[in-house]
Amino acid sequence: MEKDFNQNKDDGDDTAKSAGKGCLRLVFKIGLFLLILPILLLGIYKVPFVHPVSTLMLKDQLLLQTMERQWIDIDDISPHLVNAVMMSEDGQFCSHSGVDWHQMSLVVKDAVNGEPARGASTITMQTAKNLFLWNGRSYFRKALELPLSMATDMVLSKKRVMEIYLNIAEWGPGIYGVEAASQYYFKRSASKLTLQQASLLAVTLPNPAVRNPTKPSRGMVRTANIIQNRAKKAGPYVACVR
């Protein structure tokens, strides 16, 4: 009787160990899949006729919320808009490899010194975040964002990264992509944007939930004027998307 009891106990322990190993193998496989998935998707996103969507767009679709997005090829977007966004968001876009390590080091230095945080996200980092991650501030998300950004820069051309970014960026609640934003705010295609309109759209990007390019605050107008001047001289900085 005692022998049977011990045998049953051993069998139970073996079953628990097997179940535990099975769970670990499952977690490992899921983790490996999640690591490989972005690379596979980036390979698909290289194809010009593929129109990627952001995780925020997917959330809106799942929640059955109103959403506007009209894809437009980068060659059909006003150069004013491309120049303004680059000068506003990431002036070194053509020269870095997805992450601007100089700006990142300044952010780390400020954090160590207890100074207010400054923005250091490149257009590539924002694209990777929009495609694969979630909104919000956390060191964990940023840690995931860095390798994803470098992978995005390795797999996709600069021009394709910019094209995807301009077509998935949020310009207002439920308004995704520059074509939908241009139609909504200025009643015209993104191909017809003036430099002033493009600059106002560019300065809306950091906080589209509260900024409206057709009703700009004084601060927005002031910043947009600075962006306009930079965009006029953007030639050498935007060569990689021409």
Tab-separated table of all heavy atoms in Angstrom, residues 37-38 41-46 50-58 69 71 123-135 145 148-149 151-153 156 160-169:
chain	number	residue	atom	x	y	z
A	37	LEU	N	8.489	37.971	-35.588
A	37	LEU	CA	7.353	38.554	-36.309
A	37	LEU	C	7.645	39.934	-36.896
A	37	LEU	O	7.339	40.170	-38.072
A	37	LEU	CB	6.132	38.607	-35.392
A	37	LEU	CG	4.848	39.174	-36.028
A	37	LEU	CD1	4.427	38.319	-37.215
A	37	LEU	CD2	3.733	39.243	-34.990
A	38	PRO	N	8.227	40.870	-36.126
A	38	PRO	CA	8.496	42.189	-36.722
A	38	PRO	C	9.409	42.120	-37.940
A	38	PRO	O	9.215	42.853	-38.912
A	38	PRO	CB	9.156	42.968	-35.574
A	38	PRO	CG	8.656	42.313	-34.334
A	38	PRO	CD	8.547	40.864	-34.692
A	41	LEU	N	7.370	40.912	-40.825
A	41	LEU	CA	6.472	41.977	-41.286
A	41	LEU	C	7.233	43.072	-42.029
A	41	LEU	O	6.755	43.587	-43.044
A	41	LEU	CB	5.723	42.578	-40.091
A	41	LEU	CG	4.653	41.687	-39.464
A	41	LEU	CD1	4.072	42.356	-38.207
A	41	LEU	CD2	3.540	41.394	-40.459
A	42	LEU	N	8.418	43.411	-41.540
A	42	LEU	CA	9.223	44.425	-42.229
A	42	LEU	C	9.571	43.967	-43.645
A	42	LEU	O	9.592	44.778	-44.579
A	42	LEU	CB	10.500	44.718	-41.439
A	42	LEU	CG	10.324	45.546	-40.164
A	42	LEU	CD1	11.629	45.597	-39.377
A	42	LEU	CD2	9.859	46.960	-40.491
A	43	GLY	N	9.839	42.668	-43.793
A	43	GLY	CA	10.099	42.135	-45.125
A	43	GLY	C	8.895	42.318	-46.040
A	43	GLY	O	9.037	42.650	-47.223
A	44	ILE	N	7.713	42.106	-45.479
A	44	ILE	CA	6.481	42.313	-46.256
A	44	ILE	C	6.281	43.801	-46.556
A	44	ILE	O	5.864	44.177	-47.660
A	44	ILE	CB	5.270	41.755	-45.489
A	44	ILE	CG1	5.394	40.234	-45.337
A	44	ILE	CG2	3.958	42.106	-46.182
A	44	ILE	CD1	4.349	39.620	-44.422
A	45	TYR	N	6.607	44.651	-45.572
A	45	TYR	CA	6.390	46.090	-45.734
A	45	TYR	C	7.322	46.726	-46.764
A	45	TYR	O	7.119	47.873	-47.170
A	45	TYR	CB	6.553	46.804	-44.390
A	45	TYR	CG	5.501	46.436	-43.358
A	45	TYR	CD1	5.714	46.683	-41.992
A	45	TYR	CD2	4.306	45.834	-43.735
A	45	TYR	CE1	4.761	46.342	-41.053
A	45	TYR	CE2	3.355	45.482	-42.795
A	45	TYR	CZ	3.589	45.743	-41.453
A	45	TYR	OH	2.636	45.404	-40.519
A	46	LYS	N	8.352	45.984	-47.188
A	46	LYS	CA	9.224	46.501	-48.245
A	46	LYS	C	8.487	46.603	-49.576
A	46	LYS	O	8.835	47.420	-50.430
A	46	LYS	CB	10.442	45.583	-48.429
A	46	LYS	CG	11.454	45.639	-47.304
A	46	LYS	CD	12.632	44.716	-47.589
A	46	LYS	CE	13.447	45.220	-48.781
A	46	LYS	NZ	14.678	44.396	-48.971
A	50	VAL	N	2.055	47.274	-50.472
A	50	VAL	CA	1.569	46.904	-49.137
A	50	VAL	C	1.408	48.174	-48.310
A	50	VAL	O	2.313	49.005	-48.249
A	50	VAL	CB	2.553	45.937	-48.439
A	50	VAL	CG1	2.122	45.695	-46.992
A	50	VAL	CG2	2.631	44.620	-49.194
A	51	HIS	N	0.254	48.339	-47.691
A	51	HIS	CA	-0.061	49.536	-46.919
A	51	HIS	C	-0.193	49.174	-45.436
A	51	HIS	O	-1.276	48.807	-44.977
A	51	HIS	CB	-1.360	50.180	-47.418
A	51	HIS	CG	-1.299	50.582	-48.859
A	51	HIS	ND1	-2.442	50.882	-49.604
A	51	HIS	CD2	-0.244	50.750	-49.703
A	51	HIS	CE1	-2.073	51.217	-50.835
A	51	HIS	NE2	-0.754	51.139	-50.921
A	52	PRO	N	0.887	49.258	-44.673
A	52	PRO	CA	0.854	48.869	-43.257
A	52	PRO	C	-0.114	49.727	-42.441
A	52	PRO	O	-0.418	50.875	-42.795
A	52	PRO	CB	2.301	49.111	-42.793
A	52	PRO	CG	3.119	49.118	-44.039
A	52	PRO	CD	2.230	49.700	-45.093
A	53	VAL	N	-0.564	49.146	-41.339
A	53	VAL	CA	-1.398	49.879	-40.385
A	53	VAL	C	-0.683	49.878	-39.032
A	53	VAL	O	0.142	49.016	-38.762
A	53	VAL	CB	-2.806	49.261	-40.242
A	53	VAL	CG1	-3.555	49.339	-41.560
A	53	VAL	CG2	-2.719	47.815	-39.768
A	54	SER	N	-1.026	50.841	-38.212
A	54	SER	CA	-0.405	50.944	-36.890
A	54	SER	C	-1.197	50.151	-35.863
A	54	SER	O	-2.357	49.777	-36.094
A	54	SER	CB	-0.333	52.411	-36.461
A	54	SER	OG	-1.633	52.920	-36.203
A	55	THR	N	-0.580	49.904	-34.711
A	55	THR	CA	-1.284	49.214	-33.632
A	55	THR	C	-2.452	50.058	-33.127
A	55	THR	O	-3.473	49.515	-32.706
A	55	THR	CB	-0.324	48.915	-32.472
A	55	THR	OG1	0.339	50.120	-32.065
A	55	THR	CG2	0.722	47.895	-32.883
A	56	LEU	N	-2.304	51.381	-33.179
A	56	LEU	CA	-3.395	52.255	-32.745
A	56	LEU	C	-4.568	52.174	-33.709
A	56	LEU	O	-5.734	52.190	-33.291
A	56	LEU	CB	-2.891	53.699	-32.637
A	56	LEU	CG	-3.743	54.685	-31.832
A	56	LEU	CD1	-3.986	54.173	-30.420
A	56	LEU	CD2	-3.067	56.054	-31.791
A	57	MET	N	-4.280	52.067	-34.996
A	57	MET	CA	-5.343	51.890	-35.983
A	57	MET	C	-6.063	50.562	-35.767
A	57	MET	O	-7.295	50.488	-35.868
A	57	MET	CB	-4.755	51.962	-37.394
A	57	MET	CG	-4.202	53.328	-37.768
A	57	MET	SD	-3.181	53.300	-39.264
A	57	MET	CE	-4.403	52.907	-40.502
A	58	LEU	N	-5.295	49.516	-35.476
A	58	LEU	CA	-5.909	48.210	-35.204
A	58	LEU	C	-6.819	48.276	-33.985
A	58	LEU	O	-7.901	47.683	-33.967
A	58	LEU	CB	-4.820	47.161	-34.992
A	58	LEU	CG	-4.025	46.731	-36.226
A	58	LEU	CD1	-2.880	45.812	-35.822
A	58	LEU	CD2	-4.930	46.035	-37.242
A	69	ARG	N	-8.301	56.929	-42.979
A	69	ARG	CA	-6.930	56.796	-43.483
A	69	ARG	C	-6.999	56.544	-44.979
A	69	ARG	O	-7.662	55.618	-45.444
A	69	ARG	CB	-6.180	55.656	-42.800
A	69	ARG	CG	-4.631	55.751	-42.940
A	69	ARG	CD	-4.093	55.245	-44.263
A	69	ARG	NE	-4.079	53.796	-44.359
A	69	ARG	CZ	-3.035	53.021	-43.985
A	69	ARG	NH1	-1.929	53.573	-43.537
A	69	ARG	NH2	-3.116	51.713	-44.101
A	71	TRP	N	-4.268	56.010	-48.008
A	71	TRP	CA	-2.845	55.884	-48.335
A	71	TRP	C	-2.491	56.760	-49.533
A	71	TRP	O	-3.259	56.856	-50.491
A	71	TRP	CB	-2.515	54.435	-48.649
A	71	TRP	CG	-1.042	54.208	-48.868
A	71	TRP	CD1	-0.351	54.396	-50.034
A	71	TRP	CD2	-0.085	53.782	-47.899
A	71	TRP	NE1	0.975	54.107	-49.852
A	71	TRP	CE2	1.167	53.722	-48.552
A	71	TRP	CE3	-0.160	53.425	-46.556
A	71	TRP	CZ2	2.336	53.326	-47.895
A	71	TRP	CZ3	0.993	53.030	-45.900
A	71	TRP	CH2	2.220	52.982	-46.572
A	123	ILE	N	12.282	59.677	-36.506
A	123	ILE	CA	11.130	59.263	-37.316
A	123	ILE	C	11.093	57.742	-37.428
A	123	ILE	O	10.023	57.130	-37.382
A	123	ILE	CB	11.192	59.931	-38.703
A	123	ILE	CG1	10.814	61.414	-38.571
A	123	ILE	CG2	10.271	59.231	-39.701
A	123	ILE	CD1	10.981	62.229	-39.832
A	124	THR	N	12.256	57.118	-37.536
A	124	THR	CA	12.318	55.657	-37.603
A	124	THR	C	11.814	55.025	-36.309
A	124	THR	O	11.079	54.025	-36.332
A	124	THR	CB	13.758	55.190	-37.875
A	124	THR	OG1	14.307	55.949	-38.953
A	124	THR	CG2	13.792	53.715	-38.224
A	125	MET	N	12.194	55.601	-35.176
A	125	MET	CA	11.727	55.088	-33.889
A	125	MET	C	10.218	55.235	-33.757
A	125	MET	O	9.531	54.331	-33.270
A	125	MET	CB	12.444	55.819	-32.750
A	125	MET	CG	13.927	55.492	-32.648
A	125	MET	SD	14.825	56.544	-31.481
A	125	MET	CE	14.120	56.005	-29.915
A	126	GLN	N	9.688	56.367	-34.195
A	126	GLN	CA	8.243	56.570	-34.125
A	126	GLN	C	7.506	55.616	-35.060
A	126	GLN	O	6.421	55.119	-34.730
A	126	GLN	CB	7.920	58.023	-34.472
A	126	GLN	CG	8.435	59.021	-33.444
A	126	GLN	CD	8.156	60.454	-33.847
A	126	GLN	OE1	7.004	60.852	-34.005
A	126	GLN	NE2	9.200	61.243	-34.023
A	127	THR	N	8.114	55.357	-36.216
A	127	THR	CA	7.507	54.411	-37.150
A	127	THR	C	7.469	53.010	-36.554
A	127	THR	O	6.443	52.319	-36.613
A	127	THR	CB	8.291	54.387	-38.478
A	127	THR	OG1	8.334	55.708	-39.026
A	127	THR	CG2	7.646	53.450	-39.477
A	128	ALA	N	8.596	52.577	-35.978
A	128	ALA	CA	8.648	51.254	-35.356
A	128	ALA	C	7.649	51.147	-34.207
A	128	ALA	O	6.970	50.130	-34.052
A	128	ALA	CB	10.071	50.975	-34.857
A	129	LYS	N	7.574	52.197	-33.397
A	129	LYS	CA	6.617	52.201	-32.280
A	129	LYS	C	5.193	52.085	-32.805
A	129	LYS	O	4.380	51.296	-32.299
A	129	LYS	CB	6.766	53.479	-31.464
A	129	LYS	CG	5.827	53.558	-30.265
A	129	LYS	CD	5.609	54.992	-29.819
A	129	LYS	CE	4.716	55.730	-30.798
A	129	LYS	NZ	4.382	57.101	-30.373
A	130	ASN	N	4.864	52.890	-33.813
A	130	ASN	CA	3.504	52.878	-34.353
A	130	ASN	C	3.142	51.535	-34.978
A	130	ASN	O	1.997	51.092	-34.902
A	130	ASN	CB	3.339	53.995	-35.388
A	130	ASN	CG	3.338	55.380	-34.770
A	130	ASN	OD1	3.129	55.527	-33.573
A	130	ASN	ND2	3.598	56.397	-35.578
A	131	LEU	N	4.133	50.887	-35.596
A	131	LEU	CA	3.862	49.618	-36.270
A	131	LEU	C	3.753	48.441	-35.309
A	131	LEU	O	2.921	47.540	-35.511
A	131	LEU	CB	4.971	49.317	-37.286
A	131	LEU	CG	4.996	50.134	-38.575
A	131	LEU	CD1	6.244	49.797	-39.382
A	131	LEU	CD2	3.742	49.889	-39.405
A	132	PHE	N	4.578	48.439	-34.252
A	132	PHE	CA	4.720	47.222	-33.457
A	132	PHE	C	4.424	47.370	-31.959
A	132	PHE	O	4.216	46.359	-31.285
A	132	PHE	CB	6.142	46.672	-33.601
A	132	PHE	CG	6.558	46.431	-35.018
A	132	PHE	CD1	7.632	47.119	-35.569
A	132	PHE	CD2	5.876	45.521	-35.811
A	132	PHE	CE1	8.023	46.896	-36.887
A	132	PHE	CE2	6.257	45.295	-37.126
A	132	PHE	CZ	7.324	45.987	-37.665
A	133	LEU	N	4.431	48.597	-31.440
A	133	LEU	CA	4.324	48.779	-29.993
A	133	LEU	C	3.092	49.585	-29.632
A	133	LEU	O	2.114	49.603	-30.365
A	133	LEU	CB	5.612	49.434	-29.468
A	133	LEU	CG	6.901	48.640	-29.752
A	133	LEU	CD1	8.121	49.443	-29.336
A	133	LEU	CD2	6.875	47.295	-29.051
A	134	TRP	N	3.126	50.242	-28.493
A	134	TRP	CA	1.969	50.947	-27.965
A	134	TRP	C	2.388	52.343	-27.524
A	134	TRP	O	3.563	52.644	-27.351
A	134	TRP	CB	1.378	50.175	-26.781
A	134	TRP	CG	2.356	50.001	-25.646
A	134	TRP	CD1	2.528	50.811	-24.565
A	134	TRP	CD2	3.336	48.946	-25.505
A	134	TRP	NE1	3.534	50.341	-23.743
A	134	TRP	CE2	4.047	49.201	-24.298
A	134	TRP	CE3	3.671	47.833	-26.269
A	134	TRP	CZ2	5.068	48.375	-23.852
A	134	TRP	CZ3	4.694	47.008	-25.819
A	134	TRP	CH2	5.372	47.275	-24.621
A	135	ASN	N	1.395	53.215	-27.339
A	135	ASN	CA	1.676	54.551	-26.839
A	135	ASN	C	1.927	54.515	-25.339
A	135	ASN	O	1.567	53.558	-24.659
A	135	ASN	CB	0.501	55.496	-27.135
A	135	ASN	CG	0.460	55.898	-28.601
A	135	ASN	OD1	1.478	55.858	-29.291
A	135	ASN	ND2	-0.700	56.282	-29.087
A	145	GLU	N	11.845	49.457	-28.364
A	145	GLU	CA	11.807	50.368	-29.513
A	145	GLU	C	13.163	50.505	-30.196
A	145	GLU	O	13.240	50.615	-31.432
A	145	GLU	CB	11.318	51.738	-29.033
A	145	GLU	CG	10.964	52.724	-30.115
A	145	GLU	CD	10.414	54.001	-29.518
A	145	GLU	OE1	9.406	53.934	-28.777
A	145	GLU	OE2	10.992	55.068	-29.780
A	148	LEU	N	14.064	47.495	-32.533
A	148	LEU	CA	13.081	47.503	-33.617
A	148	LEU	C	13.375	48.629	-34.605
A	148	LEU	O	13.209	48.467	-35.819
A	148	LEU	CB	11.663	47.646	-33.054
A	148	LEU	CG	11.056	46.403	-32.408
A	148	LEU	CD1	9.741	46.750	-31.716
A	148	LEU	CD2	10.836	45.306	-33.449
A	149	SER	N	13.813	49.770	-34.085
A	149	SER	CA	14.135	50.912	-34.946
A	149	SER	C	15.351	50.619	-35.817
A	149	SER	O	15.367	50.938	-37.011
A	149	SER	CB	14.399	52.156	-34.093
A	149	SER	OG	13.281	52.460	-33.282
A	151	ALA	N	16.372	47.645	-36.702
A	151	ALA	CA	15.949	46.631	-37.675
A	151	ALA	C	15.150	47.272	-38.802
A	151	ALA	O	15.326	46.926	-39.983
A	151	ALA	CB	15.111	45.554	-36.983
A	152	THR	N	14.291	48.220	-38.458
A	152	THR	CA	13.499	48.924	-39.468
A	152	THR	C	14.401	49.663	-40.439
A	152	THR	O	14.192	49.641	-41.655
A	152	THR	CB	12.535	49.915	-38.792
A	152	THR	OG1	11.633	49.197	-37.938
A	152	THR	CG2	11.715	50.684	-39.819
A	153	ASP	N	15.434	50.308	-39.907
A	153	ASP	CA	16.365	51.048	-40.758
A	153	ASP	C	17.179	50.107	-41.643
A	153	ASP	O	17.537	50.469	-42.772
A	153	ASP	CB	17.304	51.881	-39.887
A	153	ASP	CG	18.167	52.824	-40.695
A	153	ASP	OD1	17.667	53.897	-41.082
A	153	ASP	OD2	19.348	52.488	-40.949
A	156	LEU	N	14.228	48.443	-44.335
A	156	LEU	CA	13.516	49.373	-45.214
A	156	LEU	C	14.413	50.531	-45.637
A	156	LEU	O	15.287	50.957	-44.889
A	156	LEU	CB	12.274	49.926	-44.511
A	156	LEU	CG	11.258	48.910	-43.988
A	156	LEU	CD1	10.110	49.637	-43.302
A	156	LEU	CD2	10.740	48.024	-45.106
A	160	ARG	N	11.084	54.613	-47.878
A	160	ARG	CA	9.948	53.773	-47.493
A	160	ARG	C	9.555	54.022	-46.037
A	160	ARG	O	8.359	54.046	-45.709
A	160	ARG	CB	10.304	52.302	-47.703
A	160	ARG	CG	9.190	51.316	-47.359
A	160	ARG	CD	7.937	51.517	-48.183
A	160	ARG	NE	7.001	50.403	-47.995
A	160	ARG	CZ	5.735	50.414	-48.352
A	160	ARG	NH1	5.225	51.495	-48.944
A	160	ARG	NH2	4.958	49.365	-48.152
A	161	VAL	N	10.534	54.213	-45.159
A	161	VAL	CA	10.238	54.515	-43.756
A	161	VAL	C	9.435	55.804	-43.675
A	161	VAL	O	8.414	55.878	-42.967
A	161	VAL	CB	11.532	54.649	-42.923
A	161	VAL	CG1	11.211	55.179	-41.523
A	161	VAL	CG2	12.232	53.307	-42.807
A	162	MET	N	9.873	56.830	-44.406
A	162	MET	CA	9.159	58.105	-44.380
A	162	MET	C	7.750	57.958	-44.946
A	162	MET	O	6.789	58.516	-44.405
A	162	MET	CB	9.941	59.151	-45.170
A	162	MET	CG	9.259	60.514	-45.253
A	162	MET	SD	9.021	61.319	-43.636
A	162	MET	CE	10.719	61.825	-43.291
A	163	GLU	N	7.620	57.185	-46.016
A	163	GLU	CA	6.307	56.973	-46.624
A	163	GLU	C	5.352	56.302	-45.641
A	163	GLU	O	4.195	56.726	-45.484
A	163	GLU	CB	6.437	56.117	-47.876
A	163	GLU	CG	5.115	55.862	-48.590
A	163	GLU	CD	5.309	55.080	-49.887
A	163	GLU	OE1	5.833	53.939	-49.810
A	163	GLU	OE2	4.934	55.601	-50.946
A	164	ILE	N	5.839	55.250	-44.969
A	164	ILE	CA	4.991	54.558	-43.992
A	164	ILE	C	4.638	55.486	-42.834
A	164	ILE	O	3.477	55.558	-42.411
A	164	ILE	CB	5.690	53.286	-43.478
A	164	ILE	CG1	5.810	52.251	-44.608
A	164	ILE	CG2	4.934	52.684	-42.289
A	164	ILE	CD1	6.618	51.015	-44.238
A	165	TYR	N	5.631	56.214	-42.335
A	165	TYR	CA	5.386	57.112	-41.206
A	165	TYR	C	4.302	58.128	-41.531
A	165	TYR	O	3.367	58.339	-40.734
A	165	TYR	CB	6.673	57.836	-40.823
A	165	TYR	CG	6.483	58.853	-39.711
A	165	TYR	CD1	6.128	58.455	-38.433
A	165	TYR	CD2	6.645	60.223	-39.948
A	165	TYR	CE1	5.934	59.378	-37.417
A	165	TYR	CE2	6.457	61.152	-38.941
A	165	TYR	CZ	6.108	60.729	-37.678
A	165	TYR	OH	5.915	61.640	-36.683
A	166	LEU	N	4.398	58.761	-42.702
A	166	LEU	CA	3.430	59.787	-43.071
A	166	LEU	C	2.038	59.219	-43.304
A	166	LEU	O	1.054	59.958	-43.250
A	166	LEU	CB	3.901	60.531	-44.322
A	166	LEU	CG	5.167	61.373	-44.160
A	166	LEU	CD1	5.560	62.003	-45.486
A	166	LEU	CD2	4.973	62.457	-43.100
A	167	ASN	N	1.953	57.906	-43.528
A	167	ASN	CA	0.653	57.281	-43.773
A	167	ASN	C	0.053	56.604	-42.555
A	167	ASN	O	-1.097	56.141	-42.615
A	167	ASN	CB	0.761	56.274	-44.919
A	167	ASN	CG	0.675	56.926	-46.284
A	167	ASN	OD1	-0.399	57.322	-46.725
A	167	ASN	ND2	1.812	57.068	-46.957
A	168	ILE	N	0.808	56.501	-41.453
A	168	ILE	CA	0.240	55.889	-40.245
A	168	ILE	C	0.251	56.841	-39.047
A	168	ILE	O	-0.351	56.542	-38.017
A	168	ILE	CB	0.962	54.586	-39.862
A	168	ILE	CG1	2.423	54.839	-39.477
A	168	ILE	CG2	0.861	53.557	-40.978
A	168	ILE	CD1	3.147	53.595	-38.971
A	169	ALA	N	0.942	57.982	-39.168
A	169	ALA	CA	0.975	58.935	-38.058
A	169	ALA	C	-0.432	59.451	-37.768
A	169	ALA	O	-1.247	59.636	-38.678
A	169	ALA	CB	1.905	60.100	-38.399
